[in-house]
Structure formats: C-alpha cells, structure tokens
C-alpha cells in the first residue's frame, strides 16, 4: 500500500496506464530445483530453435502458455519462442523460415514436411510504449490501411492497438503480455525460468491475473476478453479461476469487441469451441455473465449447448481434440445450425416443394442469416452443405447410391453427423449401424447388406399398404336392377373367379355381358362360347 501511494506521488503508473514510467517488474531467475519442469516434456524442435539463436549470440527462450503448462506438468501442444533477434535476423538463421503478421510481425521456423511438419513461432521482444504516444488513426485495419503502412506503433480512437512492432528489452516484452502466468520465459539449455510479474506464484495459487490495469488492457486489445474466458475454461479442471479485479471489467468491455474485424472474431470463436474445452468454455461464459454478446454465432452455440444434439457434438469435439484427432469447424457449425436447416426444410416440404430444392433453399437462408460474410466462408459453406445434403441420402440403401456415397470425400463427416443424430434418437439406430457395416465391408458383404435393405424396404412397404376387405359371396345382395328369375343361381351372372367385381361395401354386383356368337341361339360349342342358361 505504501509503495502504491509513493508511486502515485511520483507520477508513476502501472503498466497499461498512461502517464509516468511503468513498473516493469523485477527479474527473477528460478532454477530447476524450484520450478520442477520436466525437460522430457519440452519439444525437441523448439529446444533446437532456442539453441540455434543462442549460438548466434542472441537471447532466446520458450515463452507463454507452453511455460505455464510445463510448470503444471502438462505437455504443451504448441511451443513459441521469444528472442531479441529481429524477424529478419531470425529468417537468416534457418533453412525454411517465413515472416507473417501486420499487427505483430512474427518469424516462423518450419521443421519437417507433409503432415509431420511443425511450425515454431519466433517473436521478437517488444517494447512497452504508452499508447498516448502512439500514432493515432480514426479507422480500423481495413479503412486505415494506407495510413498504417508506415507506422510501427499505432492505436485507433478507442485505444485499441493496431500496430505493435517496436522492439525492446525482455522486461518490457513481459509487461506487454496479458496474464502473469503467460509472461514467463524458459531456457531449455540452462533450465532457468525468468519471471518478472510473480507468474510462478500465481500458477501455484491457481490464479489468472492480468498484468497492469485490466480495463485498459482489454481496451488495448479486446480479444484479451475472449482469451481470458479460454484460459479460464482450459485451466478450470485444475482449479484455476480469474481473479476478481481481472474479471470485473469483462462484461462492460464486451462492447469493444464490435470494433474487432469479423474474420478475427470468427477465428477466436472457433478457438473457444475447438481447443478441447468447449463444454467448460460455455460454463465459464455463463458463470461470468457473458453468455450473449461476444459473437452472434457463439450466442447460438451457447443457447443450444443443452439440447441433446448440440451437446453431443460439443462432447464429441472435446473428446477428439483430447485424443489428438483432427476436428473441422464445418462439422461443429453444421451441428449447431442443423436445427435451423431442419426447420426451414420442413416448412418448405409442408408447402409441397420438391425435397432437394427445398433443402438447398433452407441451407442458403441459414448461411445468409447466421454465417454472414467471413473469411473462408466459401470452403466452410461447401463442407457444411455437403454434410447436410447427405442426410436424406442415407435413407437410400439400394441401387448405386450406397457405393457413390462411400466414395465421396466428405462421406466420413456426413456419416459422423448422422451417427450423432442416431445417438439422440433423430434417426433409427439400425440405419447408422447398417452404414457403419457397409463402409467397412468387402463387395460380397456389401451385396448381402443391400439384399437385407431391400427385404426391409419390401416389408415396410407391405406394412404400409391399406388392407382390402373382401365381401363373401353368400352375403352379397342380389342386383337391384335385375331380379333373379325363379330357380336362377345366386352367382349365375358372375363367372367363377370374378369375385373381385363385387362391391367392397356389399353393394350390387356388376353384371358381365356375355358375347353371343353370330347367329345367336343356343348352339355352338366353340371355344369361348358361353352356354345358354335359364332365363336368357
């Protein structure tokens, strides 16, 4: 308290505020005997990048969430490196590097090829600059592109950082990071952890604490609001929570997200739902009072998270991520929006529209209303459309349809979608089991399965046919228009085997007119000649 009072008197401020020199923290070097990081959990390729930079005379560390996870005994999925080398200097040290980013210019080092390749991000230590001294622009990244082209540090009218590419020392780089547990540096060569903001203590206390003034930091980069939720969701099973001061401005700061480009918001939404903690994320959003207002499509996901189908999709996505299996945004979003597609399709079917055009029209309506114009919509929309259009085709298990279905590139996604529908009772379990067997079977087994489907189809059609009740002959009344002559048999006018001419309702029988041979009379025994009867 006394220190804070003295800082105010001297005009000092905490990082993230304007006025005075910010406090960058005291460097603490924590040895392996204290932090306890297991070197075997460190990615070999990330360690090689650090070693290469150090051999060239630069400082280099593994940084950010990887250090946090290592301290918690977890194996990080991604490893980032921070150094005092510029992106151009990094590019000159490795065989397959590239540089990306405008807001933050970052070097990338590529290891391996094909599916086994790995990309290590290498960022340069950035200086902490007071935003009051930054270049001011009135628009955003798109509207102010020409003005931003020559700037290294710029903010918009709301204080959101649009450029941050001024290099500086490590202590300032640590200050410009978000949470204390994400602002530590680990040297895999010396096995030292460098900590400026008591991140190690917060990790032990299981606390997520924002560096500097939270409201100001959220204003600098509103995406930090989403990152706070994501970290809280990821670490909640370990007992972590956001500290009160960092959580307090979250709801009020949500309005700042309206200024973030839609493409970036879309990507951040997918990170919330596809990093293996979707269920926990939705719980955190509700707990923090942020169930609505972050992003329209996320609002739909949160709203439907408790419905059987969407919940099954979220649980399945978490399972796949945690098993190291790939997930596609098209599949999860197709699950979230299936209710809209299904309802729109049914409405059109009720209007007697043809099924396939009705489905396509319902899909177009959902894309326009829910997805909007975001980067990558073309590919995303195509994949989602394929998944939805396959659903009615799964009902067709005869002819060439099954063979064509299993050859489609998106068949597996369409089948998994139908499998989830079966799990919640939307389609028959037997249908999902049939397709599960068919896709894995050889040709002979597939023919057997199709024969089985044909028999089931025939039995179903037979069960759906109306039952025709036949009227016994001895109960049918005589024709009212032609009374029988005395002694005439009851069925004299209806040859044997023509009982179907009798009316179903027991009405008068139809009389069949008999042909007479030319010349009339009762003669002739030729084929087809009708014998004369009494009364004719």
């Amino acid at each position: 308290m006394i220190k804070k009072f003295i800082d105010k008197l001297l005009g000092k401020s905490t990082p993230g505020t304007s006025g005075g020199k910010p406090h960058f923290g005291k460097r603490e070097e924590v040895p392996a005997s204290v932090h306890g990081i297991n070197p075997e959990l460190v990615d070999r390729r990330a360690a090689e990048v650090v070693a290469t930079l150090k051999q060239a005379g630069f400082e280099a560390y593994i940084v950010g969430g990887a250090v946090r996870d290592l301290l918690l005994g977890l194996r990080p999925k991604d490893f980032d490196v921070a150094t005092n080398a510029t992106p151009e200097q990094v590019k000159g040290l490795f065989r397959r590097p590239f540089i990306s980013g405008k807001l933050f210019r970052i070097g990338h080092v590529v290891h391996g090829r094909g599916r086994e390749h790995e990309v290590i991000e290498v960022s340069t230590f950035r200086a902490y600059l007071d935003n009051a001294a930054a270049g001011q622009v009135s628009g955003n990244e798109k509207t102010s592109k020409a003005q931003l082209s020559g700037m290294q540090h710029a903010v918009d009218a709301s204080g959101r950082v649009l450029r941050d590419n001024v290099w500086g020392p490590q202590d300032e780089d640590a200050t410009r990071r978000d949470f204390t547990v994400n602002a530590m540096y680990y040297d895999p060569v010396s096995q030292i952890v460098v900590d400026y903001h008591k991140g190690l203590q917060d990790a032990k206390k299981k606390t997520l604490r924002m560096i500097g003034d939270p409201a100001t930091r959220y204003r600098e980069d509103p995406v930090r609001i989403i990152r706070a939720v994501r970290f809280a969701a990821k670490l909640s099973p370990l007992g972590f929570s956001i500290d009160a001061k960092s959580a307090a401005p979250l709801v009020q700061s949500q309005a700042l997200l309206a200024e973030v480009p839609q493409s970036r918001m879309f990507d951040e939404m997918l990170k919330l739902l596809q990093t293996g903690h979707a269920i926990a994320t939705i719980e955190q959003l509700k707990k923090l009072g942020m169930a609505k207002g972050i992003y329209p499509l996320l609002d739909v996901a949160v709203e439907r998270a408790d419905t059987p189908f969407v919940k099954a999709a979220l649980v399945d996505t978490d399972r796949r991520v945690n098993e190291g299996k790939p997930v596609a945004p098209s599949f999860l979003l197709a699950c979230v929006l299936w209710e809209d597609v299904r309802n729109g399709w049914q409405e059109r079917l009720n209007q007697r529209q043809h099924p396939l055009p009705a489905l396509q029209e319902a899909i177009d309506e959902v894309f326009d209303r829910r997805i909007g114009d975001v980067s990558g919509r073309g590919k995303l929309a195509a994949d989602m459309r394929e998944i939805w259009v396959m659903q009615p085709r799964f009902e067709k298990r005869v002819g060439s349809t099954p063979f064509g279905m299993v050859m489609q590139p998106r068949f597996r996604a369409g089948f998994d979608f139908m499998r989830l529908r079966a799990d919640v009772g939307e389609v028959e379990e037997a249908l999902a089991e049939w397709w599960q067997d068919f896709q894995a079977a050889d040709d002979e087994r597939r023919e057997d399965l199709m024969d089985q489907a044909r028999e089931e189809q025939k039995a179903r059609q037979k069960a759906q046919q109306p039952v025709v009740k036949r009227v016994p002959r001895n109960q049918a009344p005589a024709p009212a228009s032609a009374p029988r002559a005395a002694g005439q048999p009851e069925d004299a006018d209806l040859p044997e085997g023509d009982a179907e001419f009798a009316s179903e309702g027991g009405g008068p029988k139809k009389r069949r007119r008999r042909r007479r041979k030319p010349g009339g009379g009762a003669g002739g025994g030729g084929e087809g000649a009708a014998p004369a009867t009494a009364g004719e």
Side-chain angles (χ1 to χ4, degrees), residues 296-462:
L297 197 50
L298 181 63
D299 292 349
V300 179
V302 175
E303 180 184 338
R304 296 177 180 173
D306 292 329
T307 61
F309 185 59
V310 174
K311 186 173 183 178
L314 293 170
V315 170
D316 187 64
T317 298
D318 284 351
R319 175 189 62 79
R320 290 183 64 85
V321 172
N322 292 319
E323 290 177 359
K325 296 179 180 179
V327 293
S330 55
F331 182 86
L332 183 57
L333 294 181
C335 292
V336 170
L337 298 178
W338 173 239
E339 180 180 325
D340 293 336
V341 172
R342 188 185 58 214
N343 291 344
W345 186 26
Q346 188 59 54
E347 287 176 9
R348 288 165 174 80
L349 291 177
N350 292 341
Q351 297 168 7
R352 299 185 178 278
Q353 294 186 23
H354 192 276
L356 183 57
L359 178 56
Q360 297 281 17
E361 195 175 299
I363 291 171
D364 290 339
E365 181 182 56
V366 170
F367 283 148
D368 292 338
R369 185 158 56 96
R370 296 294 197 189
I371 300 292
D373 184 19
V374 296
S375 177
R377 168 177 163 167
K379 175 67 167 63
L380 181 79
D383 291 346
M384 293 171 68
R385 186 183 298 273
E386 278 194 76
I387 291 171
W388 287 329
V389 170
M390 277 187 201
Q391 300 313 301
R393 298 186 65 194
F394 281 114
E395 303 287 344
K396 300 177 181 179
R397 293 178 289 162
V398 295
S400 61
T401 298
F403 294 98
M405 286 280 283
V406 295
M407 295 298 291
Q408 292 192 23
R410 299 291 298 167
F411 168 78
R412 187 68 204 186
F415 169 76
D416 288 344
F417 190 92
M418 189 265 289
R419 173 79 261 180
L420 284 180
R421 293 175 63 209
D423 290 344
V424 300
E426 191 175 310
V427 297
E428 293 181 2
E429 179 71 23
L431 182 66
E433 291 177 356
W434 189 93
W435 280 100
Q436 180 72 52
D437 292 342
F438 186 85
Q439 63 182 300
D442 56 25
D443 290 342
E444 185 177 351
R445 174 60 179 155
R446 286 183 174 183
E447 290 295 340
D448 291 341
L449 287 168
M450 291 180 70
D451 288 341
Q452 170 195 328
R454 289 188 194 97
E455 292 302 319
E456 291 176 2
Q457 186 179 28
K458 289 178 182 178
R460 192 160 45 247
Q461 289 173 346
K462 187 175 181 180

